Amino acid sequence: MAKYLIKRFLYMIFVFFIVSILMFAITKAVPGDPALKMVNPNLASTDPARYQIALEEARESLGLDQPLPIQYIKWMGNTLTGNFGFSIQYKKPVIDVVGTPMLNTVALNLFSLILVFAITIPLGIISAVKKRSVFDQAVQVGSIIGYSLPVFVTAFVFIFLFALKLPIFPISGTATPGSDYTGLAKFGDYMYHMALPLIVSTFCSLGGILRYVRAAMIDALREDYIRTARAKGLREKVVIYSHAFRNALIPIVTIITSWFVSIFGGSVVIESIFLWNGLGNTLLSALRNLDSALYMAMMMFYVVITLLGNLLMDIAYCIADPRVKLQ
Amino acid sequence: MKKMLALLMALSMTTAVALTSCGESSGDSPKDSTESTTSTESTDEESSGETTATTGGQIVIGSVTDVDADMFPGWTTSAENMSIFRLLYGYTTVDYTKDFTYEYDPQVVTAHEEIENEDGTKTFKMTIADDLVWSDGTPITAKDYVFGIMLNSSKEMGDLEADTSTGADYVGYEEWNSGESDTFTGLNLIDEHTFSVTVKADKLPYHYEITYASVTPYPMFKLAPDCDITDDGNGATMSEGFTTELLSQTIADTETGYRYNPTVVSGQYTFTSYDASNYEAVLTINDKFKGTWEECYKPSIEKIVIKKVNAATAMDELAAGTIDLYAGVSGGTEINKGLDLYDQGKVSYANWSRSGYGKLQFHCDVGPTDSTAVRQAVSYILDKNEFAKQYTGGYGKLVYGAYGLSQTEYKANKDKIETELNKYEYNLETAKEVLIADGWTLNANGGEFVEGTDDVRYKKMEDGSLQPLVIKWACTPDNPVVDLLNTMLVPNAPLVGMKIEPTVMDFNQMLTELYTPGSEYNMFNLATGFYPTIAPWYYYTTDTSYWGIYNNNMISDDQLAKVTDEMRYLVDEDEWNAKWLEYQKRFNELCLDIPLYSDIYHAFFTPKLQNYVPDGMHQWDQTLLYAYIDENATEVTATQGE
């Protein structure tokens, strides 16, 4: 196991550097001059000479005047020491930009993850056990609808229903405008504003997982050891939860692990519609504004998270199924 | 949090690696101030009784652009932050009046003197009122004004990546800005309430000359607490200790720095909070604010919340009451949604003409759009009236030159503009005529162009080569203007022997092409504004070193350059307006842009917001000074602006 982990870590380092070179090359190939974002555009019409000087200074300060290999080495060196650079869009260090969005994204995704699995696992099991019943068919139809509808359609329908027709939830934001709540009241207000994006996010994710759990359970219930367990006279609950579900867990673990990784991935659509200030929007905005330091830092973060997630998934497999050995 | 994030990211990587007056009521009630310029109608017959402005209430302003954390000028150019700056940073010596002129604010400047110096420089000497105080009660002195210029022109601020061009027009700027000298020779601290600024000779005369005397105070006791400014007669000298390290603590520190938390301000409002998570800034009325202009205007609204809204749901937010004001709405679809709410009695509205327009802009340095005739022909083949109607849904007008309908220059020349400029009415035959007259009469083989047989016209160039009439258009994705042009302009091109080739690209890439002389692209879809000042002498200079960001039409026309250069030095308003008309005529003749639409902007707001009368030359923050909150108001109003 230890040998395997060391090999995997070496492999991850190799992949990390390859991806970083590719990312850097793609970033540099993007047309546009990031230095333009650093200079006050009003200066162009009031003092062109000063504007030109400011532009040159900005290029120098961003290191754009140096050869590409030097730029890469400097960027990588800084990144590895925790200096992720300066955001030209926000005019401050990248680390100061991503804090709030990361917190919001993790909060929304974590609650959504909990809700999705809290709903889909019992529902999937019941659906599998009551296969082809009215209940199962209703769940199937519901899950297909949730799975098929584009997120933005679901979001607007839910806004129309729960914010306009039945004004239960606020339309956007993370807090009541102008409120000065503290402590629990602040948290309550935050959760109240999270409700609608959370419901939409959860609703849109139910279909896929539900069908996955159901299929895994149906497969498990067909196995010989289930027939044996029933023949032994075990109670149906024990058969389902101790024998079938434990075996069905193996493929589900894969899904849970990959979802855990996605906790850090923001949904651009949900964040944009509900103005939930998260990482998805931040990344999109960085790309649109040629904020290379910001999006490079975020992309490399995702690369690392994905590599670690894959490793975590393999280890989780091992734990869920003792037959699997890491070699 | 910052450290945790750094650790998390680094760890993960390294694992792999009122309107109240000064003391007494001014007598100029909020309602009085609007009636002279607008016509107001009410959905009901008459407003029930007069309402007087009292200080209080809260307004939530919905903005589709981000409000960022910067509460200090120099870093951000966000429009909403600019509005916030105007509310936080007050007592500017020369400011923009509601009558569209720059004037000394009599509440701030008690005496001023303009001195023409022998070396061609000009000194603006100002004495500030002795009753100006910061929001914490500390007196504002001339030193705070001098400090404001020195700070925002300093090398130290430049080291923090801030814009440091504030004092660039004053003598001695370069030496101070480069860090070469600790004295800014063009600034003089005369006494506790008097200071002067001396403008470089090469910046004079200048049409907007009075703006050189526009100075805003900055709280030196907060930003550079252990520093001092002295003046031995040779300029303002900063004491030792004014360093980048000091400013990174007092200004740039993300937790306590003035950039993010301006605790002491001079403006109408004080800073209360910024919530990055909710894209929201909160300002509270500054009860120490003295007032502004002769009438001593003071704000009436107690609390202002600026909150980001999604354009798709902004009207819903207004209907739900989560925002109170949604300003600058354009496009038929959105405006009609707002008007539906007005019809339902839920919101009031006001509209005004935009000081700018959407346009197709040409590059004039490479063919075929280096030919005026070709540019004119493109204009002739687009039905601009129909385009404007379709794009704006009827809430827009056409303009024929480089102006907006709310510009004072346009108002002064309105009749002549409407009658003397070429409107380039849609006419395919005229388009053909101008092309033929310009020599676009050949086909690809050099023979005569035959309509119906040949696709594209060619012209024989001086070197004997044939140039095709193919226009390369750099356009942006997901843009309704582009979509409409693709159906209303591009299909008409072949009808006159022209071909327009659209290339969709990211906006940043389009800007790069726009700023590149000799770019392969001839045409760009953009929008432009003329608020509050214009500088055409830079935009149309024939000096090619200015081509790109300044002259991005890449036009070299001596007549246009001469006219616009002369404008710069005109101080007299009538002369300026007359010269401006000349500039418009030449611009129109050269057809450097095809103006497509000039919107009629709308502001929609809840009935509690009273006396909100916007115009094209002021932003919401400037308009809000004269507005007030009446929580009991239920009647909706419609204000048709100019």
Side-chain angles (χ1 to χ4, degrees):
Chain A
M1 180 79 157
K3 200 175 165 190
Y4 173 81
L5 286 178
I6 291 168
K7 269 174 73 179
R8 278 297 293 264
F9 275 121
L10 290 174
Y11 161 78
M12 282 162 64
I13 291 168
F14 175 73
V15 172
F16 175 84
F17 279 104
I18 294 296
V19 174
S20 73
I21 291 169
L22 285 173
M23 288 289 308
F24 188 82
I26 292 168
T27 301
K28 292 297 163 186
V30 172
D33 185 356
L36 286 172
K37 302 274 175 189
M38 292 282 286
V39 183
N40 181 355
N42 297 331
L43 204 55
S45 55
T46 53
D47 194 335
R50 282 289 315 157
Y51 185 86
Q52 204 57 47
I53 294 168
L55 206 56
E56 291 308 320
E57 285 174 354
R59 288 199 181 106
E60 202 178 314
S61 125
L62 292 171
L64 301 175
D65 56 336
Q66 293 173 330
L68 284 179
I70 303 289
Q71 286 186 40
Y72 172 78
I73 291 166
K74 279 194 168 176
W75 167 70
M76 185 44 74
N78 287 335
T79 303
L80 292 175
T81 52
N83 174 5
F84 301 102
F86 189 81
S87 161
I88 56 168
Q89 189 189 352
Y90 298 94
K91 310 278 194 311
K92 52 184 173 181
V94 166
I95 201 68
D96 292 334
V97 174
V98 293
T100 304
M102 187 176 281
L103 206 65
N104 284 334
T105 291
V106 170
L108 180 62
N109 287 344
L110 201 62
F111 281 110
S112 179
L113 181 80
I114 293 167
L115 269 183
V116 165
F117 285 101
I119 294 168
T120 53
I121 290 177
L123 216 56
I125 293 171
I126 299 168
S127 267
V129 173
K130 296 183 177 179
K131 202 173 89 178
R132 296 207 184 94
S133 66
V134 175
F135 175 82
D136 177 41
Q137 283 172 355
V139 169
Q140 289 291 301
V141 171
S143 65
I144 285 176
I145 291 172
Y147 192 67
S148 317
L149 277 179
V151 180
F152 72 91
V153 172
T154 311
F156 284 120
V157 169
F158 276 57
I159 286 176
F160 178 74
L161 292 176
F162 301 115
L164 296 175
K165 284 290 156 195
L166 300 168
I168 304 170
F169 301 116
I171 297 170
S172 70
T174 58
T176 304
S179 63
D180 50 5
Y181 300 129
T182 52
L184 264 182
K186 189 176 182 179
F187 180 71
D189 193 44
Y190 182 74
M191 293 306 293
Y192 173 56
H193 280 78
M194 192 200 280
L196 213 43
L198 181 61
I199 291 168
V200 171
S201 167
T202 306
F203 181 78
C204 293
S205 310
L206 288 178
I209 310 290
L210 185 66
R211 297 173 75 77
Y212 207 86
V213 173
R214 179 180 176 273
M217 272 301 285
I218 286 172
D219 284 347
L221 287 168
R222 280 194 196 124
E223 296 292 337
D224 290 344
Y225 56 80
I226 296 295
R227 199 177 303 120
T228 309
R230 281 178 176 145
K232 275 162 65 182
L234 290 177
R235 281 185 298 131
E236 191 62 13
K237 263 190 180 175
V238 176
V239 172
I240 291 167
Y241 292 107
S242 291
H243 293 260
F245 181 60
R246 279 197 65 180
N247 282 287
L249 256 182
I250 298 168
I252 295 169
V253 160
T254 322
I255 298 282
I256 293 178
T257 318
S258 64
W259 262 62
F260 189 75
V261 170
S262 73
I263 277 177
F264 294 97
S267 159
V268 174
V269 178
I270 287 181
E271 288 173 10
S272 301
I273 292 173
F274 293 102
L275 291 177
W276 191 260
N277 185 2
L279 288 176
N281 248 345
T282 306
L283 182 62
L284 184 67
S285 171
L287 286 166
R288 280 184 172 161
N289 288 287
L290 300 176
D291 196 349
S292 56
L294 182 54
Y295 67 72
M296 291 280 282
M298 291 180 70
M299 291 309 294
M300 293 318 295
F301 176 68
Y302 287 134
V303 168
V304 170
I305 289 289
T306 307
L307 290 171
L308 285 176
N310 282 336
L311 179 64
L312 201 66
M313 206 186 302
D314 289 348
I315 296 169
Y317 257 136
C318 253
I319 296 166
D321 186 352
R323 290 170 299 177
V324 177
K325 299 280 178 225
L326 294 176
Q327 288 180 342
Chain B
M1 184 67 207
K2 190 173 87 177
K3 282 181 183 168
M4 275 179 66
L5 273 168
L7 192 66
L8 181 61
M9 291 182 86
L11 192 67
S12 59
M13 291 184 180
T14 47
T15 314
V17 248
L19 205 85
T20 50
S21 61
C22 297
E24 297 301 319
S25 167
S26 63
D28 187 6
S29 76
K31 277 201 165 165
D32 293 338
S33 67
T34 67
E35 284 171 359
S36 60
T37 54
T38 61
S39 63
T40 304
E41 62 179 43
S42 173
T43 48
D44 293 316
E45 285 180 7
E46 261 313 314
S47 179
S48 56
E50 287 296 309
T51 310
T52 52
T54 51
T55 301
Q58 168 182 297
I59 184 170
V60 181
I61 295 159
S63 164
V64 288
T65 55
D66 283 4
V67 182
D68 62 44
D70 270 307
M71 298 297 146
F72 194 100
W75 280 281
T76 182
T77 52
S78 152
E80 295 309 328
N81 285 72
M82 293 296 164
S83 288
I84 292 172
F85 297 157
R86 280 189 291 267
L87 294 172
L88 294 179
Y89 296 80
Y91 298 139
T92 299
T93 49
V94 169
D95 219 338
Y96 197 58
T97 69
K98 66 175 180 174
D99 299 321
F100 318 115
T101 56
Y102 282 99
E103 306 283 351
Y104 284 99
D105 186 339
Q107 301 299 334
V108 179
V109 179
T110 54
H112 60 89
E113 191 183 350
E114 286 81 39
I115 306 151
E116 308 269 358
N117 301 312
E118 282 179 5
D119 59 357
T121 61
K122 187 170 183 175
T123 300
F124 294 82
K125 185 177 167 189
M126 290 164 273
T127 302
I128 58 158
D130 58 7
D131 59 350
L132 305 179
V133 293
W134 294 104
S135 54
D136 68 346
T138 308
I140 294 176
T141 66
K143 199 175 278 186
D144 293 318
Y145 282 86
V146 172
F147 175 71
I149 301 172
M150 293 185 86
L151 173 73
N152 291 304
S153 311
S154 67
K155 181 183 180 299
E156 288 76 8
M157 282 294 274
D159 290 342
L160 298 176
E161 309 293 353
D163 171 41
T164 58
S165 60
T166 297
D169 298 322
Y170 304 136
V171 173
Y173 168 79
E174 282 71 20
E175 292 77 13
W176 166 252
N177 179 253
S178 62
E180 215 175 284
S181 170
D182 57 2
T183 299
F184 199 142
T185 52
L187 306 181
N188 284 98
L189 183 61
I190 297 163
D191 63 38
E192 200 181 345
H193 294 109
T194 310
F195 71 98
S196 69
V197 294
T198 300
V199 179
K200 293 170 185 167
D202 63 348
K203 301 283 178 186
L204 296 162
Y206 178 45
H207 176 69
Y208 301 108
E209 205 165 281
I210 192 173
T211 59
Y212 288 140
S214 181
V215 187
T216 305
Y218 281 72
M220 187 170 179
F221 69 102
K222 279 279 173 193
L223 306 181
D226 298 321
C227 301
D228 194 16
I229 296 173
T230 52
D231 187 353
D232 59 3
N234 293 317
T237 303
M238 183 66 78
S239 66
E240 281 184 14
F242 183 77
T243 61
T244 306
E245 290 69 36
L246 172 74
L247 300 184
S248 21
Q249 284 169 18
T250 58
I251 295 177
D253 186 282
T254 49
E255 302 296 327
T256 57
Y258 196 87
R259 178 180 171 189
Y260 306 104
N261 186 21
T263 47
V264 173
V265 295
S266 55
Q268 301 162 26
Y269 284 84
T270 60
F271 173 75
T272 303
S273 63
Y274 172 75
D275 181 355
S277 175
N278 206 28
Y279 304 100
E280 172 193 295
V282 181
L283 311 179
T284 309
I285 200 164
N286 176 6
D287 56 10
K288 300 277 195 309
F289 184 68
K290 178 187 173 185
T292 184
W293 304 118
E294 287 291 352
E295 299 85 349
C296 203
Y297 292 119
K298 290 168 88 173
S300 299
I301 301 169
E302 179 76 27
K303 193 172 175 182
I304 296 178
V305 181
I306 303 114
K307 178 193 178 297
K308 190 178 177 185
V309 290
N310 188 332
T313 55
M315 285 298 171
D316 297 326
E317 300 242 23
L318 196 61
T322 44
I323 61 170
D324 299 304
L325 169 64
Y326 182 34
V329 183
S330 65
T333 313
E334 277 303 292
I335 292 172
N336 285 329
K337 275 193 215 170
L339 293 177
D340 286 346
L341 293 178
Y342 167 74
D343 290 339
Q344 293 162 26
K346 290 181 177 172
V347 300
S348 299
Y349 78 88
N351 59 23
W352 68 95
S353 295
R354 171 184 179 175
S355 181
Y357 57 78
K359 64 178 178 176
L360 271 175
Q361 178 171 329
F362 293 109
H363 263 188
C364 308
D365 58 336
V366 286
T369 50
D370 58 347
S371 156
T372 301
V374 170
R375 299 193 296 268
Q376 289 176 335
V378 178
S379 193
Y380 279 123
I381 64 170
L382 175 66
D383 187 345
K384 290 175 283 295
N385 284 305
E386 184 59 25
F387 183 93
K389 199 170 134 191
Q390 286 205 27
Y391 176 69
T392 65
Y395 303 107
K397 291 175 185 168
L398 273 183
V399 292
Y400 310 106
Y403 62 88
L405 297 172
S406 54
Q407 258 184 285
T408 47
E409 292 89 347
Y410 167 73
K411 288 173 186 167
N413 288 292
K414 189 175 177 181
D415 293 342
K416 286 179 182 167
I417 285 283
E418 296 298 332
T419 54
E420 294 180 19
L421 295 194
N422 187 346
K423 294 186 169 63
Y424 296 102
E425 303 268 12
Y426 175 62
N427 193 321
L428 297 179
E429 291 309 313
T430 312
K432 284 179 207 166
E433 283 167 21
V434 294
L435 288 172
I436 291 166
D438 194 46
W440 299 91
T441 54
L442 305 176
N443 62 21
N445 302 317
E448 194 179 338
F449 176 84
V450 180
E451 268 192 79
T453 306
D454 298 315
D455 295 332
V456 175
R457 291 176 185 274
Y458 283 72
K459 181 182 177 179
K460 194 165 193 175
M461 308 309 290
E462 280 179 7
D463 62 0
S465 63
L466 286 176
Q467 185 176 66
L469 187 50
V470 177
I471 294 171
K472 292 188 172 180
W473 170 28
C475 52
T476 46
D478 305 322
N479 186 332
V481 172
V482 172
D483 295 343
L484 210 49
L485 285 169
N486 269 318
T487 58
M488 293 185 69
L489 174 69
V490 177
N492 286 349
L495 304 178
V496 297
M498 184 190 288
K499 190 176 178 190
I500 296 176
E501 289 180 347
T503 303
V504 178
M505 62 182 73
D506 178 74
F507 185 71
N508 287 305
Q509 189 187 350
M510 190 180 80
L511 278 188
T512 303
E513 295 294 344
L514 179 74
Y515 295 154
T516 307
S519 160
E520 63 176 304
Y521 296 98
N522 309 105
M523 197 167 79
F524 307 83
N525 56 284
L526 292 160
T528 191
F530 306 99
Y531 162 87
T533 59
I534 55 172
W537 39 90
Y538 289 134
Y539 308 151
Y540 307 111
T541 175
T542 52
D543 181 348
T544 51
S545 63
Y546 285 89
W547 285 19
I549 289 167
Y550 326 108
N551 180 348
N552 47 50
N553 280 110
M554 318 291 173
I555 180 73
S556 180
D557 181 77
D558 290 337
Q559 190 183 336
L560 183 65
K562 182 172 178 288
V563 168
T564 51
D565 194 52
E566 285 168 357
M567 282 177 72
R568 178 183 174 135
Y569 306 106
L570 293 175
V571 179
D572 180 81
E573 213 56 43
D574 291 336
E575 286 179 27
W576 164 269
N577 285 333
K579 194 59 78 177
W580 181 86
L581 181 63
E582 272 185 57
Y583 150 48
Q584 293 306 325
K585 283 181 180 174
R586 188 61 186 157
F587 178 93
N588 172 266
E589 193 181 341
L590 292 170
C591 198
L592 302 181
D593 294 349
I594 303 177
L596 298 172
Y597 58 91
S598 185
D599 303 276
I600 297 174
Y601 279 145
H602 281 64
F604 294 95
F605 43 94
T606 49
K608 75 175 185 182
L609 180 62
Q610 299 283 302
N611 202 48
Y612 182 79
V613 187
D615 63 63
M617 299 302 281
H618 293 90
Q619 303 300 307
W620 61 260
D621 57 285
Q622 294 160 308
T623 310
L624 222 51
L625 175 64
Y626 312 104
Y628 62 97
I629 298 290
D630 178 4
E631 297 286 357
N632 299 318
T634 52
E635 287 177 12
V636 294
T637 58
T639 306
Q640 309 288 339
E642 287 184 63

